[in-house]
């Protein structure tokens, strides 16, 4: 607290990111990073771009990257926005598209940053409860609103909606934007990007941080019709003309061009997810059906906070989110096959053995 602060700053409750501890040999399953490295071509491109041209500003429009992202899904660069991580893309979207006076609708259990942006931009919001089995009920997203934001697959549940449900949401609110945050869509869910042509009110947001293993480069993007993209560009150019540096643009572009690496690493994560889910169920855990690179799980008679602490003491980090409806659950990132096995072994041979 300080008398120098603008009044708004006193009211902010910032997002708290997962721990990034500097402990060696840690099995880090708490922030949904990829256990595999980025495409080797992406790393080569970043190295190749590390030269004298770094004295020059990067392309403020990131046109090569936007063109490649659009081409991959059959859209022009005018349908693509890029930002410094999808968090920044989301922030710009909240400011550019959701300040209409009515509440913004999003699930009560979802990415906790949505609430934070509402605080930052003073947007009223209404959280729509997930059902008892942790599913989104799209019929509940009714009434006057400034827009709808969902994560699909949802985080931290991992449960995905089909395109029928997304279409229903879009049809329910033709005069409001429905933002679909697809941070985890590449791990088996269906992307709404194919609906962009038909729905002027759809904005699809994705990221290089999860399926493309470039969380360190901070690159996110959005697909939408050109007038939505223009709104984002206006906000961006009123904030920071160069959100993507030269290295990020070069690495992201090479990553998009390496479809083989992408497919392979996503498939490896999906295979480990099946093995981890099955192993947890064998140990007595309930595991929600995940389409993401993490699983959401609870044990019928173990305290989740205790489990997380005991795993941490054995150098395995998982995420335990506080809050009434999430307290009983653990969110565990899908690591390599070996990491998942190590987690299961520690649970079986040690943590679940001591009571
Ligand atoms: C990780 C994540 C993001 C943000 O990713 P960036 O690293 O900022 O691109 C956005 N939404 C959800 C649901 C996420 O889990």
């Amino acid at each position: 607290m300080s008398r120098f602060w603008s009044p708004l700053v006193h009211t902010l409750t910032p997002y708290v990111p997962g721990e990034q501890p500097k402990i060696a040999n840690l099995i880090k399953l708490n922030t949904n990073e990829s256990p595999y490295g980025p495409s080797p071509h992406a790393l080569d491109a970043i190295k190749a771009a590390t030269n004298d041209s770094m004295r020059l500003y990067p392309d403020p429009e990131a046109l090569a990257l936007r063109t490649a992202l659009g081409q991959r899904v059959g859209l022009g660069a005018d349908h693509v926005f890029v930002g410094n991580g999808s968090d920044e893309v989301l922030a710009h979207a909240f400011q550019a598209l959701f300040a209409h006076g009515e509440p913004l609708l999003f699930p009560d259990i979802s990415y906790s940053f949505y609430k934070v942006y509402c605080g930052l931009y003073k947007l009223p919001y209404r959280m729509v409860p997930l059902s008892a089995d942790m599913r989104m009920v799209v019929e509940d997203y009714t009434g006057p609103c400034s827009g709808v934001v969902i994560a699909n697959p949802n985080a931290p549940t991992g449960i995905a909606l089909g395109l029928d449900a997304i279409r229903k949401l879009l049809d329910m609110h033709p005069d409001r934007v429905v933002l679909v945050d697809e941070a985890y869509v590449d791990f088996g869910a269906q992307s709404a990007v194919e609906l962009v042509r038909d729905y002027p009110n759809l904005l699809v947001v994705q990221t290089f941080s999860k399926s493309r293993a470039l969380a360190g480069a901070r690159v996110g993007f959005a697909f939408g019709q050109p007038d939505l993209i223009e709104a984002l560009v206006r906000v961006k150019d009123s904030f920071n003309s160069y959100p993507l540096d030269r290295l990020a643009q070069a690495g992201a572009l090479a990553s998009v061009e390496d479809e083989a690496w992408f497919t392979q690493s996503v498939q490896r994560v999906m295979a480990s997810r099946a093995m981890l889910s099955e192993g947890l169920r064998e140990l007595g855990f309930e595991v929600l059906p995940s389409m993401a690179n993490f699983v959401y799980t609870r044990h019928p008679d173990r305290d989740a906070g205790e489990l997380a602490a005991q795993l941490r003491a054995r150098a395995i980090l998982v995420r335990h989110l506080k809050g009434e409806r999430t307290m009983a659950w653990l969110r565990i990132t899908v690591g390599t096959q070996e990491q998942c096995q190590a987690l299961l072994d520690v649970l079986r041979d040690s943590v679940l053995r001591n009571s």
Side-chain angles (χ1 to χ4, degrees), residues 85-88 90 111 114 151 155 181 183-184 207 209-210 218-220:
S86 59
D87 286 338
E88 186 184 80
L90 291 168
Y111 190 37
Y114 304 151
D181 178 354
Y184 301 102
T207 177
S209 297
K210 313 285 168 43
R218 311 303 303 126
V219 186

Side-chain angles (χ1 to χ4, degrees), residues 19 23 26-27 30 285 302-322 327 329-332 343 346-347 350-352 354:
E19 205 184 348
I23 305 170
L26 199 67
I27 299 186
N30 67 328
F285 285 86
R302 295 303 181 115
D303 181 84
E306 277 288 302
L307 287 177
Q310 290 186 28
L311 287 169
R312 194 177 196 289
R314 292 162 178 82
I316 299 178
L317 281 195
V318 300
R319 192 103 198 250
H320 177 234
L321 301 163
K322 310 246 150 54
M327 218 154 50
W329 296 82
L330 293 176
R331 192 195 69 190
I332 305 178
L343 168 76
V346 165
L347 283 171
S350 163
V351 172
L352 292 177
N354 324 324

Side-chain angles (χ1 to χ4, degrees), residues 39-341:
S39 156
H41 295 299
L43 297 180
D44 287 345
I46 292 168
K47 284 174 202 149
T50 306
N51 58 37
D52 180 63
S53 70
M54 283 299 282
R55 71 194 173 78
L56 302 171
Y57 283 106
D59 175 7
E61 298 179 9
L63 187 58
L65 176 58
R66 285 169 47 233
T67 302
L69 284 167
Q71 243 161 25
R72 194 167 172 273
V73 296
L75 295 171
D78 60 343
H79 287 65
V80 187
F81 179 80
V82 295
N84 188 261
S86 59
D87 286 338
E88 186 184 80
V89 177
L90 291 168
H92 289 343
F94 275 54
Q95 191 172 30
L97 304 170
F98 295 140
H100 300 292
E102 297 98 341
L104 178 65
L105 306 183
F106 49 84
D108 64 336
I109 301 173
S110 194
Y111 190 37
S112 54
F113 230 134
Y114 304 151
K115 227 186 303 183
V116 175
Y117 297 131
C118 288
L120 181 60
Y121 297 123
K122 301 190 198 173
L123 307 175
Y125 61 89
R126 179 159 63 81
M127 295 196 291
V128 181
L130 297 186
S131 63
D133 61 352
M134 302 296 242
R135 287 171 189 276
M136 278 189 49
V137 183
V138 293
E139 291 76 12
D140 292 347
Y141 289 71
T142 50
C145 64
S146 283
V148 178
V149 176
I150 62 167
N152 193 42
N154 196 12
T157 64
I159 295 176
L161 287 178
L163 287 195
D164 288 352
I166 307 279
R167 256 192 224 100
K168 188 176 260 180
L169 269 180
L170 289 159
D171 289 330
M172 283 163 70
H173 299 286
D175 297 322
R176 290 296 186 235
V177 168
V178 174
L179 187 160
V180 185
D181 178 354
E182 295 189 338
Y184 301 102
V185 77
D186 296 324
F187 301 102
Q190 201 180 359
S191 174
V193 70
E194 65 183 69
L195 305 180
V196 162
R197 269 182 205 296
D198 295 336
Y199 286 95
N201 58 332
L202 171 62
L203 191 75
V204 176
V205 178
Q206 297 186 3
T207 177
F208 283 77
S209 297
K210 313 285 168 43
S211 55
R212 293 185 180 275
L214 281 169
R218 311 303 303 126
V219 186
F221 51 106
F223 298 114
Q225 292 194 6
D227 63 323
L228 295 189
I229 301 303
E230 188 192 332
L232 299 178
V233 171
R234 283 180 174 222
V235 169
K236 167 218 169 232
D237 286 336
S238 305
F239 179 78
N240 177 3
S241 313
Y242 306 104
L244 264 64
D245 61 66
R246 286 177 170 272
L247 306 185
Q249 291 189 34
L253 177 59
S255 168
V256 176
E257 288 168 346
D258 193 351
E259 201 68 35
W261 170 88
F262 170 73
T263 306
Q264 193 208 35
S265 76
V266 160
Q267 281 173 355
R268 289 168 85 186
V269 168
M270 289 167 67
S272 300
R273 178 178 70 203
M275 171 267 200
L276 175 62
S277 303
E278 191 46 39
L280 287 168
R281 286 188 188 112
E282 278 167 14
L283 293 174
F285 285 86
E286 177 188 354
V287 185
L288 296 183
S290 173
M291 286 289 188
N293 68 341
F294 55 83
V295 298
Y296 209 43
T297 186
R298 66 177 168 185
H299 195 278
D301 37 50
R302 295 303 181 115
D303 181 84
E306 277 288 302
L307 287 177
Q310 290 186 28
L311 287 169
R312 194 177 196 289
R314 292 162 178 82
I316 299 178
L317 281 195
V318 300
R319 192 103 198 250
H320 177 234
L321 301 163
K322 310 246 150 54
E324 200 190 324
R325 294 191 74 191
T326 52
M327 218 154 50
W329 296 82
L330 293 176
R331 192 195 69 190
I332 305 178
T333 303
V334 177
T336 61
Q337 201 85 3
E338 295 71 29
Q339 291 174 322
C340 294
Q341 193 57 57

